[in-house]
Amino acid sequence: WLSPLLYGNYTSVLSAIREHVTGDTIDLGCGDKVFEGAIRRQATSYESLDIETRADGVTYIGDIHSMSGVSDAQYDSVVCIEVLEHVPHPWQALSEIHRILKPGGVLILSVPHLSRLHEEPNDFFRYTRYGLQSLLTDQDLTIVSLRPYAGLFSFLGHQLSMAMVISLWHVPVVRQLIFFVNRWTCVALCRVLDYCIDRRRVFAAGYVVVARKGDSHV
């Protein structure tokens, strides 16, 4: 509930995890492991990879361009949330993801379409639905679903939410008040405006994609 953009991404990814994650699973670019609990409830095992340690117990420290420590066809599910925009060679990263997925395995991927610059200088790309289709198809990953997770108003509301919440978060009583006001005004209102005004999602803030590796490929 910190912002309409974060709410849209979190709920959309959570829904995809609940529907599609099974078996041995790796969380690529895990960061603070926001989805670890949700993944563990669905998966047989949970492992993680990041470029640096941001949370306890990261399984692999490394780059998704070259996951040399990970065996071929090791995972039933791969989760990769808001990472691919920070990768200079996304086709290479997706090739590696294809390699570590078992035949029939599932990738859950989210990427931004509208976003301010962040984590500079490692901020390389923004993705359209057509760019995602091209990248995934080229790596022999079949799209199961591809859905926007928020829209223009959520993107704009995110900037306002962050300005309000971050500026007042250190004030104990005001913090609770501003969180409540932000939740029921900015977050709720922006979600409604996205739904009512941009039904075609021309201004999609980002996408959550579920894609499957073919059964005949290792």
Side-chain angles (χ1 to χ4, degrees):
W1 292 102
L2 284 177
S3 90
L5 188 64
L6 295 175
Y7 178 85
N9 178 268
Y10 181 81
T11 54
S12 297
V13 171
L14 190 62
S15 176
I17 287 171
R18 287 172 173 168
E19 186 173 354
H20 295 284
V21 163
T22 58
D24 298 320
T25 303
I26 188 166
D27 185 359
L28 298 179
C30 62
D32 297 325
K33 294 186 174 181
V34 172
F35 292 102
E36 179 180 6
I39 293 170
R40 284 190 182 278
R41 284 190 287 273
Q42 303 293 128
T44 304
S45 68
Y46 171 87
E47 294 186 336
S48 54
L49 178 146
D50 210 325
I51 198 72
E52 61 185 15
T53 302
R54 304 183 195 186
D56 293 336
V58 177
T59 313
Y60 303 99
I61 301 299
D63 186 339
I64 67 171
H65 285 113
S66 179
M67 295 181 280
S68 57
V70 182
S71 301
D72 293 354
Q74 186 168 336
Y75 296 103
D76 300 285
S77 307
V78 169
V79 178
C80 187
I81 306 305
E82 304 295 287
V83 174
L84 216 60
E85 71 270 27
H86 302 296
V87 172
H89 307 294
W91 51 89
Q92 184 177 331
L94 286 169
S95 177
E96 274 290 270
I97 288 171
H98 183 277
R99 179 183 67 79
I100 69 173
L101 271 172
K102 295 178 182 178
V106 167
L107 165 65
I108 297 173
L109 174 75
S110 87
V111 291
H113 176 225
L114 302 177
S115 177
R116 61 176 177 78
L117 284 171
H118 59 290
E119 296 192 23
E120 297 174 69
N122 299 309
D123 190 9
F124 301 103
F125 295 101
R126 301 293 179 267
Y127 293 91
T128 67
R129 64 184 303 119
Y130 307 107
L132 286 169
Q133 288 168 354
S134 177
L135 280 169
L136 292 165
T137 301
D138 284 350
Q139 298 304 327
D140 198 23
L141 292 162
T142 302
I143 294 174
V144 176
S145 67
L146 195 168
R147 300 186 181 119
Y149 62 71
L152 176 62
F153 292 98
S154 289
F155 167 68
L156 295 174
H158 175 74
Q159 319 312 318
L160 178 59
S161 290
M162 290 295 95
M164 287 193 300
V165 173
I166 290 173
S167 63
L168 296 169
W169 196 250
H170 64 286
V171 185
V173 177
V174 177
R175 177 171 62 196
Q176 279 77 25
L177 176 61
I178 202 67
F179 184 82
F180 178 84
V181 171
N182 178 64
R183 172 174 177 168
W184 295 111
T185 55
C186 188
V187 176
L189 177 61
C190 289
R191 299 285 295 169
V192 170
L193 289 172
D194 280 339
Y195 178 77
C196 293
I197 294 175
D198 185 22
R199 291 290 187 92
R200 290 182 58 229
R201 292 297 189 268
V202 174
F203 294 101
Y207 296 96
V208 174
V209 189
V210 178
R212 190 179 301 278
K213 178 176 176 176
D215 289 332
S216 60
H217 298 279
V218 178

